[in-house]
Amino acid sequence: MKLVFLGTSSAAVLMGLALPALGQQSVQKPGTDDNGSLAEIVVTGSFIRGTPVDAALPVEVYSRQQLEKEGSPTALEFAKNLTISGPTTGESYYFGGPTLIGSVNYNLRGLGSDKTLILLNGRRMDINTANIPSLALERTEILKEGAAVIYGADATGGVVNFITRERFVGIDMNAQYKYIDGSDGDYSAAVLGGIGEGRVNLMVSAEYEHRSRLHALDRDFTRTSLDPTKPGYNPAPWSTLTNLAGWVPRGTLPAVPGVSADAEFGAPTGGIVADFTPQSCTAVGGRYDNNFTCAYNYIPYYNVVEDNDIYRGFAQLNAEISDNMDFHLDAAYAQVTSPQVFASPAQPIVRGPAMSTGSTFQLYVPISNPYAADFAARNGVVGASGFTPVTYRLLGHGGNFAFGDGEGYGVPDRIDNEIWRLSAGLNGTLGAWAGAARNVGYDFAVTYNHSNAYNTHPDTIGYRVQQALNGFGGAGCQAADLDPARFGTQNPGAAGKNGCMWWNPFSTSFANQPVRNLANPNYVAGAENSMELTRWMFDPRATKTVNENTTVDLVFDGTLGLTLPGGELGWALGGQYRDVKSREDIPGPFYDGSLPCEWPSEFTSANGPGSPNLPASPLATNDPGFRGCTPDNPGPFVLFAPNPNDTLGRHQYSTFVELRIPVLSNLDFQAAARHEEFSDGLGATVYKLAGKWNVWGPLSFRGSYGTNYQTPPLGVVPGNITVAARTYTVAASNWLAAQFITDSNLKPETARAKNFGAIWQSDGFASGHYFQFILDYFDIQTEDQIGQVADPNQIASLVFNGAGNTITTCDPSVQPLVNRITFNVPCTVGMSGVGAFSSVSTRFGNGPGQSTNGLDLQTTYEMPLAAGNLTLGLRATRILELETGPTSLDGIVVSMGDDRLGSLNFATFAQSAPEWRANFSADYSVDRHNVRLGVNFVSAVQDERPGVQYGENGEDWITTDLTYRFVFDDGLAITATVANILDRDPPAAQEEFGYDPWTANPLGRTAEIGIRKTF
């Protein structure tokens, strides 16, 4: 297919500029405003005035009227339903990234949301689109190819341009309610007002959207993970790091602690003592793996939809200052709030507070702890001075009652984001004072975007856990430390007294699995841990991220006075200045880096009796004074690393030139070039050539070729270390730590894009019919893509590459990637990946590029039928190739290149890549009635991970929607929609919820009613 397109005539190779898509066929004529008068058309992808609407770049246009007939989908529904889009964030759930809730990030061509440029009325927006005023929109134009030449960086995958109504006068109100089985439903309300039919028009809108919580276990497809005895169950949401552990009895504490479990806590006096039996483990919903692992399923603590509120406000002023000058001002605001985004009851302990690194033997329970003494007595252990768990999680099977306010038993994040934007500009022609340049157009604008993103993501403070195990937990505990030779307070006589509390880490501490109400047979009444003590051991890890960017645009356009057979040459010349700033404000001393080590200075150990406490500073592990604080400044949390406050900024300057060359009446070209410089020494020059050829009557060809570029993200600081949680196949899919270390020699990411298309527009099979057919071939290739150079899961799989995920060599000269693994115990050949390591490090920098190509199909057929009009439409995208280049790390080939097409792509954090996406619609209108049937199709993806996974081959995701709309004479309209009529479950996938939430949705059949009133 690719060869067929490339074999077209040399003129067709340069053909470009597309027709508006099917959405342009609506009640309101293109080029008219709400009152039917002529309005200026914004042609996405060109700054030359007079560019004909039917010669726009490859753009899909979605009008307001069209979306009303579809039931006025939400921004998230609209984005996820685009055939040209890849996996989309913004769902109200945890595993897509809690900070992205309510923020629809468009991901055109599946290359990543950072490669899609967002515009409002042709001006840059924040990537968070929550402040797009849906009721004030006239249409949405989606340019399906890069436009860095026109708009600047960050448009590799394409451009989404939201265009508001021009001169609305009156009042427009809208309210919707969606019934969802198992939740309180989703609902919204909006009002739009406009005044001014003369030279000045003011339009203001206010909107509110609410999503209601839907618990994970209210959907059958999440329950496939609950019973591990069933063949083919979903193992994804299971963790072997739990609070039902195996404990090693220890002898006398060494007088001078050393950097190993035995040297710090004493030699074992016996084997592992399990705090559970196979029967008691199963009783609370656990999976018995061995005598130190009662794995737990954490999905009952999560929700597939969380409570989420979005408030929006928008104002727009258009004024005609003179015959040669118009003024435009718009302001957009949104607040996105999710008070509780539930996660696990506690994070897994993958490091600290023990001296030795790793996730094993990190805690010590002295026999003086009354719960330890009881544990020893129940299990016949004598002579032990204390116990250490092989692995441990503060809370798991019994849930966490301290933070959910009765709404759940996990630890919730809080999301509170504010996004606002102000843009003002003047445009017109220079006028008589400019003499010969009187008809030269100008467009000047200043746009300011600002976002405040506040979120919490709690983690356990490791040293506080140890303090509570020693009997010195709680904010009110002030006991003196009598032994500075070791970490923590040592004062047996004061333990558990005068405001000091004990933590019970054993199975006697919880009554049941609270979500499923599964009784714990080991529970002892009165042995529960207090809510006050539980809260003391967590820190919210609050982050406030402030992003600001100011863009100044100045564009002139006109004609050159040279006339070709097709008309006058048009030109545009412009410049852009961008100032981008970002800062992170960390309000808590635990998270802001003030405490770089596992223990604060007053609790650090000494080198022996009589010696002073060691400073709380990182030291190399082979340093004589090393006491567990490694040079990566691990901080006090058991999973996440500190995040010091930072302030970053960048200036960008660019100039561009664009030419429109109408060679013949049926042959038109566009050429453009842009150069951009950045304050940190980076720069890029890009160009584009495009054209359209009307070959004969209804048949046209178009094509384009251009280059694009992507700058390193502002927050990417050379040498910076970021710690996140990742799931590892070789570690039984446990979530462990991953470190991302930023390279010091970053350079801009570049891309090349081609697009070739054929367009047919004609009458249909009979008089009064209309037929349109558009077929495009696209090809995008990126180089030096900025991101993780190698996936941590891939690295771990290469190191633990033996039978049963065991390690085959510990020699870094044979396998250099061994140095990127943080082992729990010294590396030995044959050790399993399960429980063997706690973290993997990788590089963040310029990695392999991506290449993708495929076909876009748009077709529509309109015809009269009986007393009405029938419109059939089809949009489809067929990806022919989606590949990532070869990857090397430390001299090792991590990947020969990934063929991502048709795969779940779990290694890229669940970025599935279906081969086909298609939307079919049949729309019938008669008088004031409209009925629309829509069928949405996403082809199956296969799980590429080794072995047979749950949902290995996936299945096609097909949903059918039906919408009825009736418009009364007085401007009142009622819309009813039944979505997913057949109640199709999303395709199975081995992910936490049992499906891919970035592509499908968990709602099942829904019923929605909408009311709209226009005055």
Side-chain angles (χ1 to χ4, degrees):
M1 180 62 74
K2 180 176 179 180
L3 294 176
V4 171
F5 279 94
L6 294 179
T8 317
S9 67
S10 58
V13 170
L14 301 176
M15 303 304 116
L17 306 187
L19 289 167
L22 312 178
Q24 210 64 322
Q25 306 302 319
S26 59
V27 175
Q28 179 175 320
K29 296 180 181 179
T32 60
D33 61 21
D34 291 277
N35 301 312
S37 59
L38 218 63
E40 181 182 353
I41 288 290
V42 179
V43 179
T44 302
S46 177
F47 279 127
I48 299 176
R49 299 178 195 224
T51 299
V53 175
D54 65 351
L57 289 161
V59 174
E60 288 189 3
V61 182
Y62 295 85
S63 71
R64 170 170 51 87
Q65 293 85 356
Q66 176 191 358
L67 295 180
E68 286 174 358
K69 293 179 181 180
E70 294 180 16
S72 298
T74 65
L76 180 61
E77 291 167 338
F78 172 73
K80 292 183 76 167
N81 204 36
L82 292 171
T83 67
I84 57 176
S85 182
T88 303
T89 64
E91 272 285 9
S92 187
Y93 66 96
Y94 178 85
F95 291 107
T99 59
L100 299 176
I101 285 177
S103 167
V104 179
N105 285 190
Y106 288 81
N107 179 14
L108 299 185
R109 302 303 184 197
L111 296 174
S113 59
D114 60 326
K115 295 171 181 59
T116 298
L117 181 64
I118 306 298
L119 305 174
L120 179 62
N121 293 325
R123 311 296 183 194
R124 282 179 173 259
M125 285 284 296
D126 192 277
I127 193 172
N128 186 333
T129 61
N131 60 336
I132 295 293
S134 60
L135 191 59
L137 292 181
E138 181 59 40
R139 66 188 183 277
T140 300
E141 297 184 350
I142 301 179
L143 177 61
K144 300 184 292 183
E145 61 178 19
V149 178
I150 300 300
Y151 300 111
D154 311 329
T156 301
V159 179
V160 179
N161 189 7
F162 298 95
I163 300 171
T164 57
R165 305 193 199 188
E166 279 286 329
R167 286 183 168 271
F168 174 75
V169 176
I171 297 176
D172 195 355
M173 298 186 297
N174 183 53
Q176 291 179 266
Y177 174 80
K178 179 184 292 184
Y179 170 80
I180 302 170
D181 183 31
S183 89
D184 292 335
D186 297 350
Y187 43 88
S188 64
V191 60
L192 171 73
I195 57 173
E197 299 182 12
R199 298 169 67 94
V200 179
N201 178 264
L202 174 65
M203 183 173 68
V204 178
S205 69
E207 302 176 0
Y208 170 68
E209 288 184 15
H210 174 79
R211 297 201 73 184
S212 297
R213 175 172 292 146
L214 178 61
H215 193 270
L217 296 188
D218 284 332
R219 289 295 179 264
D220 291 339
F221 49 82
T222 64
R223 292 179 169 271
T224 58
S225 67
L226 295 182
D227 188 351
T229 65
K230 287 186 176 180
Y233 83 106
N234 176 20
W238 286 81
S239 176
T240 60
L241 304 177
T242 81
N243 60 328
L244 289 185
W247 299 82
V248 175
R250 301 281 179 175
T252 305
L253 287 171
V256 179
V259 188
S260 71
D262 292 0
E264 185 173 9
F265 303 126
T269 60
I272 296 172
V273 181
D275 190 22
F276 53 88
T277 64
Q279 294 75 25
S280 66
C281 174
T282 302
V284 292
R287 185 188 69 204
Y288 183 89
D289 288 358
N290 48 53
N291 66 341
F292 59 88
T293 306
C294 174
Y296 93 110
N297 187 319
Y298 47 80
I299 215 62
Y301 298 110
Y302 289 76
N303 300 301
V304 291
V305 180
E306 294 286 5
D307 276 326
N308 179 239
D309 293 294
I310 301 178
Y311 304 86
R312 295 191 189 95
F314 178 75
Q316 175 179 284
L317 177 67
N318 285 317
E320 182 183 341
I321 297 176
S322 70
D323 291 341
N324 298 314
M325 181 180 292
D326 292 330
F327 174 73
H328 175 88
L329 170 71
D330 63 58
Y333 170 83
Q335 182 180 24
V336 181
T337 301
S338 283
Q340 293 178 317
V341 182
F342 280 98
S344 285
Q347 300 290 358
I349 296 177
V350 301
R351 65 170 310 126
M355 292 185 187
S356 58
T357 60
S359 58
T360 58
F361 306 117
Q362 289 299 300
L363 299 166
Y364 177 77
V365 188
I367 198 68
S368 56
N369 182 315
Y371 305 109
D374 174 70
F375 176 75
R378 285 189 290 113
N379 290 279
V381 177
V382 295
S385 296
F387 297 89
T388 57
V390 180
T391 59
Y392 185 69
R393 183 192 297 253
L394 187 69
L395 296 165
H397 288 283
N400 188 331
F401 290 79
F403 298 96
D405 298 328
E407 299 294 330
Y409 302 100
V411 177
D413 297 353
R414 177 175 177 83
I415 310 299
D416 196 352
N417 299 336
E418 288 186 303
I419 310 99
W420 59 276
R421 174 187 187 273
L422 183 66
S423 181
L426 298 169
N427 69 87
T429 55
L430 295 180
W433 69 267
R438 65 172 58 87
N439 293 322
V440 170
Y442 64 88
D443 189 347
F444 171 75
V446 179
T447 303
Y448 176 74
N449 287 287
H450 183 104
S451 66
N452 290 335
Y454 175 86
N455 69 278
T456 65
H457 195 31
D459 196 2
T460 307
I461 303 169
Y463 83 85
R464 286 191 170 180
V465 178
Q466 184 58 67
Q467 283 286 87
L469 292 173
N470 290 344
F472 301 101
C477 183
Q478 302 294 326
D481 182 14
L482 303 182
D483 183 3
R486 62 184 70 253
F487 287 120
T489 301
Q490 310 296 322
N491 189 338
K497 300 176 182 177
N498 301 318
C500 298
M501 292 180 277
W502 294 102
W503 179 261
N504 179 6
F506 300 105
S507 61
T508 56
S509 63
F510 64 94
N512 59 12
Q513 203 289 352
V515 180
R516 301 174 62 191
N517 196 27
L518 303 174
N520 175 19
N522 289 352
Y523 168 63
V524 174
E528 306 90 346
N529 290 300
S530 75
M531 187 174 296
E532 175 189 357
L533 181 58
T534 303
R535 289 174 174 168
W536 178 75
M537 289 193 285
F538 284 82
D539 183 82
R541 290 180 65 250
T543 303
K544 181 180 180 181
T545 304
V546 180
N547 291 312
E548 302 174 89
N549 66 79
T550 302
T551 304
V552 181
D553 291 296
L554 177 61
V555 180
F556 296 97
D557 75 290
T559 57
L560 290 175
L562 299 176
T563 302
L564 297 176
E568 280 192 288
L569 273 73
W571 61 271
L573 177 68
Q576 184 183 84
Y577 166 77
R578 293 180 62 206
D579 178 57
V580 184
K581 297 177 181 177
S582 177
R583 75 173 188 270
E584 284 188 318
D585 297 331
I586 311 298
F590 291 110
Y591 191 36
D592 70 359
S594 300
L595 180 56
C597 298
E598 288 88 341
W599 289 83
S601 57
E602 67 267 26
F603 292 124
T604 55
S605 69
N607 276 317
S611 64
N613 283 0
L614 294 170
S617 59
L619 294 170
T621 55
N622 58 359
D623 188 289
F626 174 72
R627 286 297 180 271
C629 185
T630 50
D632 60 344
N633 291 21
F637 298 112
V638 300
L639 177 61
F640 295 107
N643 183 21
N645 295 307
D646 56 53
T647 300
L648 304 166
R650 176 187 290 149
H651 303 292
Q652 300 174 221
Y653 309 84
S654 63
T655 56
F656 82 94
V657 61
E658 178 188 1
L659 292 175
R660 181 184 170 220
I661 311 169
V663 178
L664 301 170
S665 60
N666 64 341
L667 180 60
D668 198 300
F669 290 97
Q670 178 195 34
R674 186 185 196 98
H675 180 73
E676 188 147 2
E677 292 285 344
F678 305 91
S679 57
D680 45 10
L682 299 174
T685 299
V686 293
Y687 57 90
K688 185 168 188 175
L689 183 62
K692 176 176 178 286
W693 178 26
N694 179 227
V695 181
W696 156 74
L699 178 63
S700 298
F701 291 129
R702 66 183 177 198
S704 65
Y705 177 84
T707 57
N708 287 283
Y709 62 102
Q710 194 85 15
T711 56
L714 189 61
V716 175
V717 180
N720 187 50
I721 299 175
T722 302
V723 177
R726 289 291 185 267
T727 179
Y728 294 92
T729 303
V730 299
S733 297
N734 274 312
W735 287 79
L736 303 173
Q739 290 185 334
F740 301 89
I741 304 171
T742 304
D743 288 346
S744 60
N745 57 345
L746 282 176
K747 54 185 177 181
E749 175 184 326
T750 59
R752 292 173 292 170
K754 293 177 285 188
N755 191 90
F756 306 102
I759 307 161
W760 180 279
Q761 271 189 317
S762 69
D763 292 335
F765 296 108
S767 176
H769 292 208
Y770 171 76
F771 176 57
Q772 177 178 267
F773 181 90
I774 302 175
L775 182 66
D776 277 302
Y777 169 79
F778 65 89
D779 186 303
I780 303 173
Q781 296 184 10
T782 66
E783 297 179 0
D784 299 317
Q785 184 162 316
I786 300 168
Q788 62 178 25
V789 175
D791 183 76
N793 186 52
Q794 289 179 315
I795 296 171
S797 296
L798 286 172
V799 173
F800 292 90
N801 62 352
N805 298 322
T806 56
I807 197 166
T808 56
T809 179
C810 296
D811 185 353
S813 65
V814 177
Q815 173 54 277
L817 297 178
V818 168
N819 289 328
R820 294 189 171 272
I821 308 292
T822 301
F823 290 96
N824 294 326
V825 294
C827 179
T828 57
V829 174
M831 67 190 305
S832 168
V834 179
F837 66 99
S838 59
S839 180
V840 175
S841 69
T842 188
R843 286 173 43 216
F844 187 94
N846 293 111
Q850 296 186 78
S851 61
T852 183
N853 59 68
L855 300 171
D856 287 331
L857 170 66
Q858 303 173 59
T859 184
T860 186
Y861 194 96
E862 295 183 7
M863 58 181 289
L865 181 65
N869 189 65
L870 175 66
T871 301
L872 303 177
L874 174 66
R875 298 176 190 262
T877 298
R878 170 65 162 94
I879 306 297
L880 300 174
E881 178 185 61
L882 182 59
E883 295 183 350
T884 301
T887 302
S888 295
L889 184 65
D890 302 338
I892 298 297
V893 177
V894 177
S895 170
M896 294 299 294
D898 295 326
D899 182 359
R900 295 178 52 205
L901 185 59
S903 296
L904 184 64
N905 297 306
F906 192 79
T908 56
F909 212 59
Q911 296 287 316
S912 62
E915 295 182 2
W916 279 98
R917 293 182 67 116
N919 301 329
F920 168 79
S921 63
D923 197 291
Y924 184 68
S925 297
V926 55
D927 194 18
R928 297 193 299 269
H929 304 268
N930 191 89
V931 178
R932 182 184 186 276
L933 178 70
V935 180
N936 310 304
F937 174 82
V938 181
S939 62
V941 295
Q942 186 171 21
D943 197 317
E944 76 285 358
R945 287 173 284 183
V948 177
Q949 314 297 333
Y950 172 79
E952 171 75 14
N953 296 313
E955 61 179 293
D956 296 335
W957 172 234
I958 306 173
T959 57
T960 304
D961 308 329
L962 182 65
T963 300
Y964 169 72
R965 180 175 175 81
F966 181 79
V967 181
F968 295 87
D969 288 331
D970 60 354
L972 177 67
I974 296 179
T975 305
T977 300
V978 179
N980 193 359
I981 295 173
L982 302 178
D983 201 20
R984 287 284 306 275
D985 283 343
Q990 189 167 305
E991 299 185 44
E992 282 77 7
F993 290 140
Y995 78 103
D996 177 13
W998 290 36
T999 302
N1001 77 68
L1003 302 182
R1005 183 191 299 115
T1006 63
E1008 184 170 6
I1009 185 73
I1011 300 176
R1012 188 162 196 161
K1013 174 67 175 176
T1014 303
F1015 300 91

